[in-house]
């Protein structure tokens, strides 16, 4: 079975959230938000130690925690290390945060206005740059692929997932870490006019990877990325993703989505809905990545039910006990089974973005080679019933744009040993 570079799957998930350590736990909280005292803030020191804290702001530390877990979940970093076990040039970073370093930027500007630039600490000043989050993740783990930071409003998280997949589909990298992070502080609370307990203080991360490369490593995929859309309105976005009024298995709605009158709802009322912000707070630029993480939990539970003979598992009983992928895949990740490797994911439609990226050289060391053909078997993934797919949307009809993404279960794995390590593709660094 041959996989093309356009087949993109999720091979790792990491969370740095209070009260939700796995995709399944995040889904449970979204289904039935906890009452009573709020959980304690996430302790980043436990995850990344003192070295990870020095001169870094809260948002960066949260992002480092989520990225570390995602890379370990994808078997790209050993449990006792921090350096990736694949060439650093093959891993990119895409981060999303609208407000992550807002406090640093505002306090820096205030200090210059009230006193002078001489009062600023040269060690903390880099935190005033928005791309500091993506940069520190890359530096910490030796990731030398493309490095992008998105600050794109309500759609930013899903846009980041799309751009990570686009980098993979275009052949720029074999895999990318996609991070969404926001935190609350006095500056953010003042800007948004909301108290801290209504705002997210946490991060989520995904590893999106070419199915071919995941199979070569013998790593199971948690989900496959389907098509992505960005439109001016919610209804148009959903209709483009699900033509003919097809009903998905679950809908992860935009932040605090208000249901419309009967007959005007873009998704049938029988489809279960989840708003992850009910569980973790208003999430801004982190929302899309959090939604994808929760969708992985839903797909894991649905597929487990289907394999057990319980149907498609799409009617995800909100109060049910959801299976956590972290537990179910623990054995496979600790010792990959060479006879059980993932099948292809669907080919996303990055459109002109992939073509534009593919035309840009990575470095002078790029070598020429023929493009890898996409197997006809990859088209089988597109035939996954819509009722087994998760619909994810960010934004609303009052915004200039709404982003949407379908997340699908991975097809049945083929039963043969993983292929030998393939050469770097034409668009990847050859170091």
């Amino acid at each position: 079975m041959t996989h093309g570079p356009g087949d993109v799957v999720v091979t790792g998930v990491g969370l740095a959230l209070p009260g939700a350590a796995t995709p399944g736990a995040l889904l449970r909280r979204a289904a039935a938000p906890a009452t009573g005292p709020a959980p304690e803030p996430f302790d980043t020191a436990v995850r990344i130690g003192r070295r990870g804290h020095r001169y870094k702001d809260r948002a960066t530390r949260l992002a480092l925690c989520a990225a570390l877990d995602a890379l370990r979940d994808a078997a790209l970093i050993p449990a006792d290390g921090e350096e990736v076990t694949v060439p650093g040039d093959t891993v990119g970073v895409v981060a999303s945060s609208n407000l992550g370093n807002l406090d640093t930027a505002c306090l820096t500007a205030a200090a210059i206005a009230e006193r002078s630039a001489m009062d600023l600490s040269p060690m903390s000043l880099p935190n005033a740059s928005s791309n500091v989050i993506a940069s520190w993740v890359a530096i910490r783990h030796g990731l030398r692929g493309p490095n992008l930071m998105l600050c794109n409003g309500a759609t930013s998280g899903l846009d980041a997932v799309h751009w990570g997949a686009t980098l993979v589909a275009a052949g720029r990298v074999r895999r990318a870490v996609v991070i969404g992070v926001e935190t609350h502080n006095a500056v953010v609370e003042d800007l948004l006019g909301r108290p801290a307990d209504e705002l997210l203080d946490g991060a989520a991360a995904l590893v999106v990877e070419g199915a071919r490369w995941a199979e070569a490593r013998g790593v199971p995929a948690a989900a496959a990325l389907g098509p992505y859309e960005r439109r001016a309105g919610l209804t148009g976005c959903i209709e483009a993703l699900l033509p003919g009024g097809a009903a998905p298995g679950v809908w992860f709605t935009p932040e605090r989505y208000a249901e419309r009158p009967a007959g005007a709802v873009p998704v049938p009322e029988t489809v279960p809905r989840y708003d992850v912000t009910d569980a973790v707070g208003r999430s801004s630029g982190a929302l899309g990545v959090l939604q994808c993480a929760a969708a992985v939990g839903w797909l894991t539970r649905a597929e487990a039910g289907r394999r057990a003979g319980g149907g498609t598992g799409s009617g995800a009983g909100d109060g049910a006990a959801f299976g956590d992928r972290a537990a179910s895949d623990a054995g496979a990740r600790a010792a990959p089974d060479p006879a059980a490797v993932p099948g292809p994911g669907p080919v996303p439609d990055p459109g002109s973005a992939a073509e534009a990226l593919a035309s840009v050289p990575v470095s002078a060391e790029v070598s020429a080679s023929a493009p890898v053909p996409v197997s006809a078997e990859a088209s089988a993934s597109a035939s996954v019933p819509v009722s087994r797919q998760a619909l994810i949307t960010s934004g609303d009809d009052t915004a200039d744009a709404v982003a949407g993404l379908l997340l699908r279960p991975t097809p049945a794995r083929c039963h043969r040993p993983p292929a030998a390590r393939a050469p770097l593709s034409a668009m990847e660094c050859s170091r």
Side-chain angles (χ1 to χ4, degrees):
M1 182 180 294
T2 301
H3 301 313
D7 307 323
V8 183
V9 296
V10 177
T11 54
V13 181
L15 296 174
L17 298 169
T22 66
L26 176 58
L27 187 66
R28 286 194 295 272
R29 287 194 60 194
T35 58
E40 291 295 319
F42 185 86
D43 187 354
T44 58
V46 173
R47 187 78 53 88
I48 58 175
R50 293 181 60 187
R51 174 176 166 240
H53 280 66
R54 196 170 188 181
Y55 306 123
K56 298 178 182 67
D57 60 12
R58 172 76 174 166
T60 299
R61 298 197 302 268
L62 287 166
L64 285 169
C65 291
L68 177 63
D69 267 17
L71 288 165
R72 284 179 174 165
D73 192 39
L76 291 167
I77 288 180
D80 58 349
E82 293 184 358
E83 291 292 320
V84 290
T85 55
V86 297
D89 305 272
T90 68
V91 190
V93 179
V94 184
S96 170
S97 182
N98 293 320
L99 308 165
N101 73 327
L102 181 65
D103 57 334
T104 302
C106 289
L107 294 173
T108 298
I112 294 174
E114 294 172 6
R115 297 183 295 277
S116 76
M118 298 300 294
D119 291 335
L120 301 178
S121 166
M123 302 308 297
S124 61
L125 192 57
N127 295 332
S129 174
S130 291
N131 70 340
V132 68
I133 297 171
S135 298
W136 268 120
V137 170
I139 292 169
R140 177 93 176 206
H141 301 295
L143 312 180
R144 299 189 299 275
N147 191 277
L148 305 176
M149 184 72 204
L150 273 66
C151 309
N152 202 31
T155 66
S156 191
L158 274 188
D159 293 339
V161 176
H162 166 65
W163 279 105
T166 297
L167 288 169
V168 174
R172 290 294 300 272
V173 288
R174 295 184 176 183
R175 52 200 65 91
V177 185
V178 182
I179 307 151
V181 59
E182 298 289 4
T183 186
H184 57 66
N185 49 60
V187 176
V188 173
E189 294 165 26
D190 183 61
L191 175 69
L192 300 182
R194 299 185 181 279
D197 58 4
E198 291 187 17
L199 304 175
L200 171 70
D201 181 59
L206 310 172
V207 173
V208 296
E209 184 167 7
R212 178 186 182 187
W213 314 125
E215 179 179 335
R217 297 193 301 116
V219 174
L225 272 65
Y228 161 93
E229 283 287 338
R230 202 167 191 276
R231 299 290 180 99
L234 182 61
T235 298
C237 181
I238 292 175
E239 288 177 347
L241 288 170
L242 299 169
V250 65
W251 180 22
F252 290 88
T253 68
E255 185 171 271
R256 309 301 163 96
Y257 172 73
E259 289 288 353
R260 303 176 183 180
V265 180
V267 174
E269 296 178 357
T270 55
V271 174
R273 285 130 157 86
Y274 292 91
D275 182 352
V276 298
T277 68
D278 285 338
V280 299
R282 294 179 181 269
S283 305
S284 192
L287 177 57
V289 187
L290 284 165
Q291 289 173 313
C292 288
V296 166
W298 182 86
L299 287 169
T300 300
R301 186 262 183 187
E303 286 301 289
R306 188 179 67 86
R307 289 194 298 269
T312 64
S314 60
D318 287 353
F322 297 99
D324 288 350
R325 177 170 172 264
S328 63
D329 280 353
R333 295 196 177 281
D337 180 1
V341 291
V347 179
D349 181 18
S352 60
E355 297 173 4
L357 284 171
S359 66
V360 180
V362 179
S363 76
E365 299 181 12
V366 172
S367 60
S369 66
V372 182
V374 179
S375 167
E377 296 178 60
S379 62
S381 61
S383 65
V384 174
V386 174
S387 62
R388 289 173 53 203
Q389 301 183 40
L391 170 65
I392 303 168
T393 54
S394 295
D396 57 50
D397 284 337
T398 64
D400 292 335
V402 175
L405 175 73
L406 288 179
L407 209 61
R408 297 167 167 164
T410 52
R413 300 170 184 171
C414 59
H415 297 282
R416 66 174 178 79
R421 179 180 165 188
L424 293 169
S425 75
M427 294 305 302
E428 294 174 317
C429 293
S430 57
R431 288 186 292 207

